[in-house]
Amino acid sequence: MAKTATTDPKLEEVIGLALDGDLKPYREGYLIIRDESEQFVPFVYNSIQEHYETQEGRRDIVVKPRKIGFTTRWLAKHFLKAITTEGYQALAFTYDDEAAQYMGGILKRFYELLPKGLQPKLGTDTLTAMSFPRADS
């Protein structure tokens, strides 16, 4: 995907880092999550997410506990890669439709709360799927 033209040097730096694989400034600066008290806040990793990020391998099997943010972390990582990396595709399997819709809601929130200049054009936009045709993602 071509670099976004912007007059904001900080934004240009963050986009450049994301294109080089460093998603942290983009995630913390532009992705919004709902915290445990139902407030919308920037997505800053908790200590468990941060630790896993430093230890993650290419083929990890994660038996994950609930309520520590692993699903949100996974969705954020792959959402950012899909909108910044041409041809990148991610697929998540869930155990039921409700879980798929929940995850789709998180992705939709990520997209809708991005600054308008950072939102890539949407292709598919359903409760359980999103695609970005310009990035072929």
Side-chain angles (χ1 to χ4, degrees), residues 122-126 129-133:
L122 268 175
T124 302
D125 183 19
T126 68
M130 295 177 94
S131 69
F132 308 102

Side-chain angles (χ1 to χ4, degrees):
M1 176 190 277
K3 190 173 179 182
T4 304
T6 176
T7 58
D8 180 348
K10 176 68 175 164
L11 180 55
E12 282 292 332
E13 178 185 353
V14 168
I15 291 170
L17 290 169
L19 292 173
D20 288 338
D22 181 2
L23 300 175
K24 183 177 180 176
Y26 201 113
R27 174 181 40 80
E28 291 182 355
Y30 300 103
L31 288 190
I32 305 297
I33 62 168
R34 185 177 290 145
D35 68 10
E36 290 183 3
S37 61
E38 299 295 313
Q39 301 297 308
F40 290 110
V41 297
F43 187 19
V44 177
Y45 282 168
N46 63 39
S47 61
I48 296 170
Q49 293 165 325
E50 191 71 50
H51 176 76
Y52 182 73
E53 181 84 1
T54 64
Q55 304 299 314
E56 183 177 23
R58 286 190 47 136
R59 294 182 172 241
D60 293 347
I61 297 173
V62 178
V63 180
K64 68 178 202 67
R66 296 185 46 78
K67 303 293 182 191
I68 61 169
F70 262 47
T71 298
T72 303
R73 179 203 163 277
W74 191 92
L75 291 170
K77 176 181 178 180
H78 295 286
F79 173 78
L80 288 174
K81 284 187 174 188
I83 66 172
T84 60
T85 307
E86 189 171 337
Y88 187 85
Q89 296 181 359
L91 179 63
F93 291 95
T94 65
Y95 51 89
D96 65 17
D97 287 341
E98 186 178 335
Q101 290 177 14
Y102 172 78
M103 289 170 38
I106 292 171
L107 291 170
K108 190 168 227 30
R109 186 176 323 112
F110 286 161
Y111 180 80
E112 290 174 348
L113 296 178
L114 279 176
K116 297 299 180 204
L118 294 180
Q119 290 178 344
K121 184 177 188 309
L122 268 175
T124 302
D125 183 19
T126 68
L127 289 174
T128 59
M130 295 177 94
S131 69
F132 308 102
R134 186 163 169 230
D136 192 26
S137 296

